[in-house]
Amino acid sequence: MKCAIFLGFILAFAYGQHRITGGISSIEDLEDETVVGAANFALSTLDAYDDDDNKRVFSKIIKGRKQVVAGILYYLDISMFMSSCSESFTECTPGPEDRQFICSVKVISQPWMEEKMKLIDSHCVPADKDNRHMKKNRNLKKEVKNSRNEKKEEKKLARRFKKFLAEHKKLYSSRREMQRRFEIYRQNQNIIKELQENEQGTAVYGDTFFADLTQEEFQYHKGLNMSYKRQETLLKKAVIPKQSAPEEFDWRNKSAVTPVKNQGSCGSCWAFSVTGNLEGVYSIKHGELLSFSEQELLDCDKLDGGCNGGLPENAYKAIEDLGGLETEDDYPYKGRGGQKCSIDSSEQIVKIKDFLEISQNEEEIAQWLAENGPVSVGINANVMQFYRRGVSHPKKFFCNPKNLDHGVLIVGYGTEITPVKQKVLPYWIVKNSWGTRWGEQGYYRVYRGDGTCGINTMVTSAVVE
Ligand SMILES: *[C@@H]1O[C@H](CO)[C@@H](O)[C@H](O)[C@H]1NC(C)=O
Ligand SMILES: *[C@@H]1O[C@H](CO)[C@@H](O)[C@H](O)[C@H]1NC(C)=O
């Protein structure tokens, strides 16, 4: 008897030294804060030691046992999801495609130690019950690999988005807004991919300032609005010169084109298209390149809708009726509608005599342009949201020629030979009004010859005094 007590003491002492003092008991309250804490600790440790970026999202504890040692040893069966979400831009709630796993973990908690918790052992299998053990392990590997790839893609996208934010100095009002924009950006990446895969020219599509905008929001950066179309057109038919057009032509080389402007988020493209035309034909006639006022058109042209859009042919008529147009310096651009019209008639430099419809034949358009000056055109600007450079030749599907929604200026044309297939790509040089950071220093090159994006369907010019 004495001996047994002594032995018991020795054992207790020895186990004490080895930090083992009790048996295993099951945990009654599986939602206990400390127990859930231990489970989350185990999952984040697995995350941290994973060589990839998978995020394990805790669901619940299925079974829990504990043993009091030097500290507490937890044996937990945790239900969790392997999430494909990215940590910085999306809330980490499991999606329908996220696989569920059961992880059996062993965690020791020693609050007095520097390392308060330590993951000792772990073993995870997919939650599907019908899989046999070996298959389970194989599936787990596959699942983890798929999940890793998804996660990798997500990381890449998040990195691209960050770069986009920095490059365009985007600021959002809240974290929620940031997440919303990230989702729009993600959708747009799919559109960009489609555009690129179907491109018939040399255009490169990608992130632009507009890559976080929906199609609807992008409307405010265009502004050709057919609801302002007048019943009877006042346009006269242009006389096309007899001689054939030169191989290439560029009014920018002849001091007939002002620097690229920026309409901002106001649907005033129609006004920029018109001032571009006037600047060209005025400089050719008078030998002086002046920049003309879009704001005067926004404020005073009652045939059009200011920032709600308009049409060049209405604007020519309005300028004729107003008695002329002032320069940019005298009537500067504000990019806002609803301002008071304040014309100083002594400053109305350019006066309009006539306005012409040029042609729908692109050869004739080139002939007229080379002889007379840059022309105002309507275009479907769908693909321009993501245009970066090159000769853009989208399939009709992406750019319905009947849906004109943007007004721009053709300042010249040329031909590019593609490097690999030696394909000949005739193009128009188009001056846009989205600043110089868009496209090719503010310019767009679009395929010439097959009515791409309807560029040949609304070609006009003023005739100035
Ligand atoms: C315009 O000028 C540039 C150089 O300033 C030249 O490379 C280009 O060939 C010119 N284009 C035309 C059509 O004259
Ligand atoms: C076109 O103008 C109408 C009438 O002002 C307006 O209701 C509509 O929103 C405009 N469309 C666009 C795309 O700006």
Side-chain angles (χ1 to χ4, degrees):
M1 204 54 171
K2 260 184 186 172
C3 187
I5 291 167
F6 182 63
L7 192 62
F9 173 76
I10 293 286
L11 277 176
F13 181 75
Y15 281 143
Q17 291 301 303
H18 292 278
R19 313 283 185 224
I20 298 170
T21 55
I24 298 176
S25 61
S26 79
I27 300 169
E28 298 299 321
D29 182 5
L30 294 177
E31 284 168 20
D32 178 87
E33 212 176 292
T34 349
V35 183
V36 170
N40 271 307
F41 166 80
L43 296 187
S44 57
T45 306
L46 288 172
D47 278 351
Y49 283 92
D50 196 348
D51 58 4
D52 211 313
D53 312 300
N54 299 305
K55 184 152 177 73
R56 291 161 176 80
V57 180
F58 173 79
S59 172
K60 63 174 181 189
I61 297 168
I62 296 166
K63 190 174 153 197
R65 289 174 303 155
K66 67 178 177 182
Q67 185 176 19
V68 179
V69 290
I72 300 174
L73 192 54
Y74 292 102
Y75 299 83
L76 307 173
D77 288 353
I78 308 166
S79 166
M80 65 99 186
F81 291 88
M82 197 67 96
S83 170
S84 55
C85 65
S86 130
E87 96 283 30
S88 36
F89 301 117
T90 45
E91 295 294 348
C92 242
T93 47
E97 70 286 358
D98 290 338
R99 270 298 276 286
Q100 195 179 4
F101 289 87
I102 308 294
C103 288
S104 304
V105 302
K106 198 163 145 191
V107 175
I108 186 159
S109 161
Q110 294 171 312
W112 63 90
M113 301 282 281
E114 197 182 325
E115 216 181 348
K116 292 183 173 52
M117 284 197 205
K118 209 162 153 184
L119 179 66
I120 295 172
D121 197 9
S122 73
H123 179 67
C124 301
V125 291
D128 304 357
K129 289 175 198 75
D130 51 345
N131 285 343
R132 294 196 162 273
H133 185 69
M134 281 312 288
K135 202 165 150 218
K136 262 186 197 169
N137 275 333
R138 229 179 298 128
N139 279 353
L140 172 64
K141 279 202 181 114
K142 214 169 108 199
E143 275 306 317
V144 169
K145 195 160 164 248
N146 282 348
S147 169
R148 274 181 193 175
N149 285 343
E150 266 172 34
K151 190 72 206 243
K152 229 182 222 161
E153 286 302 310
E154 189 71 7
K155 275 262 153 183
K156 243 169 53 196
L157 188 67
R159 233 175 281 136
R160 286 243 297 279
F161 185 60
K162 271 185 199 165
K163 213 175 123 207
F164 161 79
L165 296 180
E167 189 183 336
H168 297 286
K169 301 189 169 54
K170 294 270 178 177
L171 289 172
Y172 302 124
S173 54
S174 65
R175 190 181 144 84
R176 201 188 181 82
E177 177 66 5
M178 167 93 83
Q179 287 168 1
R180 197 173 82 82
R181 291 292 160 192
F182 181 61
E183 288 314 313
I184 297 168
Y185 180 83
R186 184 205 304 280
Q187 303 280 324
N188 283 340
Q189 296 304 310
N190 295 334
I191 298 174
I192 290 168
K193 194 160 161 270
E194 282 284 305
L195 275 179
Q196 198 63 68
E197 283 172 6
N198 287 285
E199 170 63 13
Q200 309 170 99
T202 55
V204 175
Y205 301 99
D207 288 355
T208 64
F209 182 79
F210 310 113
D212 62 342
L213 299 188
T214 63
Q215 303 276 306
E216 203 191 356
E217 291 167 324
F218 184 53
Q219 287 295 329
Y220 297 106
H221 297 272
K222 300 188 274 191
L224 203 69
N225 191 331
M226 292 303 169
S227 59
Y228 292 100
K229 190 136 185 93
R230 294 162 59 79
Q231 292 301 319
E232 80 285 30
T233 175
L234 298 157
L235 294 164
K236 287 188 184 159
K237 201 89 194 110
V239 179
I240 306 299
K242 293 274 181 297
Q243 68 272 36
S244 60
E247 274 297 298
E248 53 171 22
F249 199 89
D250 191 345
W251 279 113
R252 292 176 298 181
N253 287 5
K254 302 185 189 309
S255 196
V257 183
T258 59
V260 169
K261 305 182 189 183
N262 196 339
Q263 68 185 83
S265 50
C266 161
S268 52
C269 67
W270 57 276
F272 285 84
S273 178
V274 164
T275 55
N277 168 252
L278 291 175
E279 288 158 4
V281 290
Y282 184 89
S283 82
I284 292 160
K285 178 147 189 180
H286 297 283
E288 185 183 14
L289 181 60
L290 296 173
S291 183
F292 292 120
S293 170
E294 295 80 22
Q295 193 66 40
E296 182 179 342
L297 286 172
L298 295 190
D299 298 348
C300 311
D301 167 359
K302 302 303 174 200
L303 302 175
D304 291 300
C307 286
N308 277 332
L311 287 177
E313 58 199 72
N314 295 348
Y316 299 135
K317 171 73 178 137
I319 295 167
E320 192 181 52
D321 293 348
L322 291 168
L325 199 63
E326 300 184 29
T327 63
E328 197 79 67
D329 284 345
D330 288 335
Y331 206 137
Y333 189 63
K334 297 200 174 66
R336 284 194 303 272
Q339 315 275 306
K340 206 167 146 274
C341 172
S342 65
I343 290 177
D344 179 342
S345 58
S346 70
E347 287 171 346
Q348 288 177 308
I349 305 280
V350 59
K351 295 180 195 306
I352 289 185
K353 216 158 58 176
D354 257 328
F355 25 103
L356 310 174
E357 167 149 47
I358 311 304
S359 173
Q360 301 222 352
N361 175 315
E362 288 179 74
E363 189 53 43
E364 291 185 358
I365 295 168
Q367 278 166 267
W368 196 91
L369 174 139
E371 194 76 8
N372 297 282
V375 292
S376 161
V377 294
I379 196 169
N380 177 335
N382 248 359
V383 308
M384 292 169 76
Q385 185 174 1
F386 306 114
Y387 171 79
R388 289 183 64 94
R389 61 179 176 276
V391 177
S392 172
H393 193 196
K395 289 190 176 147
K396 250 191 190 161
F397 173 76
F398 292 104
C399 207
N400 185 345
K402 293 199 164 62
N403 276 351
L404 305 185
D405 57 8
H406 192 39
V408 287
L409 186 75
I410 300 184
V411 299
Y413 55 86
T415 303
E416 184 175 279
I417 313 288
T418 63
V420 183
K421 291 185 179 163
Q422 305 281 303
K423 211 162 88 179
V424 180
L425 288 176
Y427 59 80
W428 294 113
I429 304 165
V430 172
K431 187 190 187 192
N432 197 3
S433 47
W434 295 343
T436 52
R437 296 189 60 198
W438 178 87
E440 297 181 332
Q441 285 82 50
Y443 283 85
Y444 179 50
R445 279 187 301 149
V446 59
Y447 189 83
R448 171 170 57 103
D450 68 356
T452 294
C453 302
I455 194 165
N456 62 326
T457 57
M458 193 192 272
V459 187
T460 61
S461 175
V463 179
V464 297
E465 282 179 16

